[in-house]
């Protein structure tokens, strides 16, 4: 579970951002609290909510950036809309905003379920709510709510390290880094940092002892060699670089590599392939974390890197378990929306615009575009429904296939930007506005 404080602003664009765009069903208002006369109103417009927050914040004329905007996200679909909303409400209380007007919005449009919180940094007395060590306190509050003990977590990570065999310090550090810890050598100890604080440490003498006592397990090495030789001929093995998501024009941060072969081996055998390179340049090696035998191997000791990079072009791709789960969820949602567009509206065009569906044509076939890839419409529609869709394309013209979502009518719902675009909420490249006051439905 992760909490992130987003940048402040002098207005409350966190409320109106996505109501000026059409991103249908990407956000759902799940909680509205302390909004006085608006609280019991059945239909509340985003402008009304924004104006209320502005009026509340005008108690203080000194503070310029009065919006408080944060996001709480979980891994995948680990927590539901209702659970995340309750967690966020408790978190708001712990951060000191519980008595302020605030709203919570649920999102499921990315790989990770998450909620946004929008409130004012000004309390009822006109004083600014303390933001000292805010980012650190934000994660500490989540840890407390989730009953997490970061020090206990660090202890478990050290125990895991002690259970592995490895031949270099870098290999040992790799185990801890994969568990989300930042590492630093200090005073003959390796410190484990997480959530901005040192949570534990292990004496460097213990790491050196592990390295000296390492003996190569030739039997297991040969087994892994056979596995890699077999499946590198089946799955695509050439690694692709991974980057942190970014909406800016700045260079994206390189965070590692992945391959279809690596995904398969991890799911099937508990074997992780960690590739080593710098800034997406030519790879210079890789390591094998064998979780079943609790050994870290140098890749070159087991199977040459060049053999992995020279995989045949016809080798097939592999969808990891997590990817398949997310794709299944996305396919179901896409199918429901598309069938609703065809059956639940006076015209197909209105249905398409309502659900903000996008399509692409390839080799004469139409595909529904989703966040997890393109879905052939012939796989999710009956023959009659395919005919209806074809008529829609024919009547609307080719431009309808790749229609821009910004052309669609605004929807009667509150939308908050997804977590990839959160930092762009506060004014940058957001000058284009649309008229009208949408309704917030609860």
């Amino acid at each position: 579970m992760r909490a992130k404080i987003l940048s402040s602003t002098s207005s409350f664009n966190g409320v109106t951002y996505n109501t000026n765009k059409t991103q249908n069903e990407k956000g759902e208002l799940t909680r509205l609290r302390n909004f006085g006369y608006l609280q019991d109103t059945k239909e509340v417009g985003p402008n009304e909510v924004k104006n209320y927050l502005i009026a509340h914040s005008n108690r203080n004329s000194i503070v310029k950036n009065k919006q408080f905007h944060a996001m709480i996200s979980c891994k995948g679909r680990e927590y539901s809309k209702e659970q995340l909303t309750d967690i966020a409400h408790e978190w708001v209380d712990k951060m000191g905003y519980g008595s302020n007007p605030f709203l919570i919005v649920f999102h499921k449009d990315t790989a990770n379920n998450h909620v946004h919180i929008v409130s004012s940094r000004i309390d009822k007395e006109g004083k600014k709510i303390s933001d000292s060590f805010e980012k650190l306190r934000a994660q500490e509050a989540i840890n407390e709510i989730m009953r997490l003990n970061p020090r206990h977590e660090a202890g478990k990570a050290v125990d895991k390290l002690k259970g592995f065999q490895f031949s270099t310090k870098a290999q040992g550090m790799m185990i801890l880094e994969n568990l989300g810890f930042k590492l630093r050598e200090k005073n003959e100890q390796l410190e484990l940092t997480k959530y901005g604080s040192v949570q534990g440490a292990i004496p460097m003498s213990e790491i050196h002892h592990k390295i000296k006592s390492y003996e190569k397990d030739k039997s297991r090495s040969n087994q892994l060699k056979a596995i890699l030789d077999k499946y590198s001929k089946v799955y695509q093995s050439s690694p692709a670089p991974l980057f942190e998501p970014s909406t800016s024009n700045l260079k994206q941060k390189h965070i590692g590599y992945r391959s279809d072969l690596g995904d398969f081996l991890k799911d099937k055998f508990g074997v992780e392939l960690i590739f080593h390179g710098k800034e997406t340049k030519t790879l210079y090696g890789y390591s094998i974390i064998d979780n079943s035998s609790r050994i870290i191997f140098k890749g070159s000791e087991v199977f040459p890197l060049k053999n992995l990079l020279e995989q045949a072009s016809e080798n097939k791709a592999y969808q990891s378990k997590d990817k398949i789960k997310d794709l299944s969820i996305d396919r179901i949602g896409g199918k429901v929306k598309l069938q609703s567009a065809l059956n639940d509206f006076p015209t197909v065009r209105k249905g398409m615009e309502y659900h903000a569906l996008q399509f692409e044509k390839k080799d004469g076939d139409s595909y529904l575009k989703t966040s997890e890839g393109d879905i052939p419409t012939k796989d999710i529609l009956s023959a009659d429904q395919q005919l209806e869709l074809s008529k829609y394309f024919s009547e609307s013209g080719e431009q309808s296939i790749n229609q821009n979502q910004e052309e669609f009518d605004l929807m009667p719902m509150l939308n908050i930007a997804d977590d990839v675009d959160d930092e762009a909420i506060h004014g940058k490249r957001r000058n284009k506005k649309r008229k009208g006051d949408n309704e917030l439905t609860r």
Side-chain angles (χ1 to χ4, degrees):
M1 189 72 68
R2 176 173 173 248
K4 181 179 181 181
I5 305 295
L6 303 175
S7 54
S8 298
T9 177
S10 57
S11 65
F12 286 84
N13 292 334
V15 177
T16 60
Y17 173 68
N18 263 13
T19 54
N20 291 330
K21 296 167 69 75
T22 300
Q23 297 178 344
N24 185 35
E25 296 185 1
K26 288 193 173 184
E28 181 180 348
L29 178 66
T30 57
R31 197 151 296 176
L32 189 75
R33 292 291 184 270
N34 306 323
F35 276 85
Y37 64 90
L38 296 179
Q39 192 64 51
D40 298 322
T41 305
K42 291 183 178 180
E43 295 179 348
V44 183
N47 285 345
E48 293 176 294
V49 172
K50 179 179 178 180
N51 290 337
Y52 190 96
L53 286 167
I54 291 174
H56 170 92
S57 303
N58 283 342
R59 292 177 170 88
N60 187 308
S61 60
I62 299 175
V63 177
K64 180 180 178 181
N65 296 324
K66 300 176 182 179
Q67 175 180 273
F68 175 77
H69 190 184
M71 179 187 71
I72 296 174
S73 63
C74 67
K75 183 178 181 181
R77 314 301 179 196
E78 185 178 9
Y79 290 91
S80 67
K81 171 181 65 179
E82 294 78 13
Q83 290 172 323
L84 278 175
T85 299
D86 288 341
I87 290 168
H89 195 154
E90 186 176 352
W91 181 85
V92 167
D93 288 337
K94 289 183 177 296
M95 292 297 293
Y97 294 87
S99 298
N100 267 18
F102 69 88
L103 58 150
I104 300 174
V105 181
F106 171 74
H107 266 232
K108 62 176 181 180
D109 58 325
T110 65
N112 302 316
N113 281 353
H114 58 283
V115 291
H116 288 255
I117 302 100
V118 182
S119 185
S120 169
R121 291 186 174 276
I122 309 302
D123 66 17
K124 293 181 178 180
E125 305 301 323
K127 297 179 181 179
K128 181 182 178 182
I129 297 173
S130 175
D131 60 357
S132 298
F133 303 103
E134 187 175 56
K135 293 182 179 180
L136 180 60
R137 288 191 296 112
Q139 189 60 51
E140 287 178 343
I142 282 292
N143 294 342
E144 185 178 347
I145 292 169
M146 302 308 296
R147 307 297 185 264
L148 291 179
N149 185 331
R151 293 189 177 277
H152 178 66
E153 191 179 347
K156 289 174 63 177
V158 169
D159 289 341
K160 180 175 181 178
L161 177 65
K162 291 178 179 179
F164 265 82
Q165 298 179 53
F166 49 90
S167 60
T168 68
K169 182 175 69 175
Q171 289 179 346
M173 294 174 70
M174 187 167 56
I175 289 288
L176 301 174
E177 289 170 341
N178 280 0
L179 294 173
F181 289 96
K182 294 183 178 180
L183 306 175
R184 180 181 67 170
E185 287 187 52
K186 185 178 180 181
N187 299 328
E188 299 299 321
Q189 294 207 353
L190 185 64
E191 294 182 340
L192 284 68
T193 300
K194 206 170 192 180
Y195 311 132
S197 300
V198 176
Q199 307 297 349
I202 180 173
M204 289 302 301
S205 59
E206 292 191 29
I207 293 178
H208 294 317
H209 177 73
K210 294 284 294 184
I211 295 171
K212 289 181 180 179
S213 62
Y214 174 81
E215 292 185 7
K216 181 179 177 180
D217 187 330
K218 294 183 179 180
S219 176
R220 183 56 178 167
S221 177
N222 289 334
Q223 289 176 347
L224 291 175
K225 179 180 180 180
I227 290 172
L228 285 166
D229 183 52
K230 176 180 178 179
Y231 290 105
S232 64
K233 298 174 183 176
V234 178
Y235 296 104
Q236 295 175 9
S237 56
S238 183
L242 297 174
F243 301 91
E244 281 187 350
S246 173
T247 57
S248 69
N249 294 324
L250 299 177
K251 186 177 180 181
Q252 289 179 298
K253 182 180 178 181
H254 176 230
I255 57 175
Y257 299 87
R258 65 155 295 279
S259 69
D260 291 309
L261 174 64
D263 291 346
F264 169 78
L265 295 177
K266 184 176 180 180
D267 284 348
K268 183 71 174 179
F269 301 104
V271 172
E272 300 179 60
L273 303 183
I274 309 297
F275 296 95
H276 308 303
K278 185 177 181 180
E279 296 295 329
T280 73
K281 296 178 181 179
T282 304
L283 294 170
Y284 57 80
Y286 75 107
S287 300
I288 302 172
I289 300 178
D290 183 12
N291 290 289
S292 59
S293 66
R294 303 179 75 81
I295 302 174
I296 302 178
F297 292 92
K298 291 181 180 178
S300 58
E301 294 179 336
V302 178
F303 195 74
L305 176 62
K306 67 176 183 179
N307 289 12
L308 291 180
L309 302 180
E310 294 173 354
Q311 108 287 12
S313 60
E314 65 270 15
N315 285 1
K316 62 183 181 181
Y318 176 76
Q319 292 282 359
S320 67
K321 292 177 181 178
D322 290 339
K323 194 75 171 178
I324 290 173
K325 182 179 178 182
D326 286 340
L327 180 58
S328 176
I329 291 172
D330 204 61
R331 281 180 178 271
I332 292 171
K335 180 178 179 180
V336 170
K337 290 179 185 178
L338 182 52
Q339 291 188 338
S340 172
L342 294 172
N343 299 311
D344 298 338
F345 294 83
T347 66
V348 174
R349 179 176 179 79
K350 287 186 177 180
M352 294 297 179
E353 293 180 354
Y354 182 91
H355 290 297
L357 299 174
Q358 290 185 304
F359 299 87
E360 183 175 351
K361 270 194 173 180
K362 300 176 185 177
D363 302 323
D365 293 326
S366 61
Y367 293 80
L368 174 63
K369 298 182 73 63
T370 75
S371 60
E372 294 297 336
D374 299 345
I375 307 173
T377 56
K378 64 183 180 181
D379 291 350
I380 56 178
L381 296 179
S382 65
D384 290 340
Q385 289 173 329
Q386 290 184 60
L387 181 60
E388 287 294 319
L389 187 62
S390 297
K391 288 181 180 178
Y392 164 71
F393 289 154
S394 177
E395 294 171 356
S396 302
E398 189 67 25
Q399 70 275 10
S400 295
I401 301 294
N402 290 304
Q403 190 166 8
N404 190 306
Q405 287 184 352
E406 288 190 351
E407 296 175 11
F408 297 147
D409 295 334
L410 296 178
M411 300 310 304
M413 66 194 311
L414 173 69
N415 289 308
I416 296 294
D418 62 30
D419 54 358
V420 173
D421 199 27
D422 285 331
E423 295 295 350
I425 285 174
H426 311 298
K428 295 181 181 179
R429 301 183 300 280
R430 304 299 175 191
N431 293 326
K432 182 180 178 182
K433 295 186 177 181
R434 302 187 62 175
K435 297 181 180 180
D437 184 12
N438 300 323
E439 295 176 350
L440 293 179
T441 58
R442 285 176 283 162

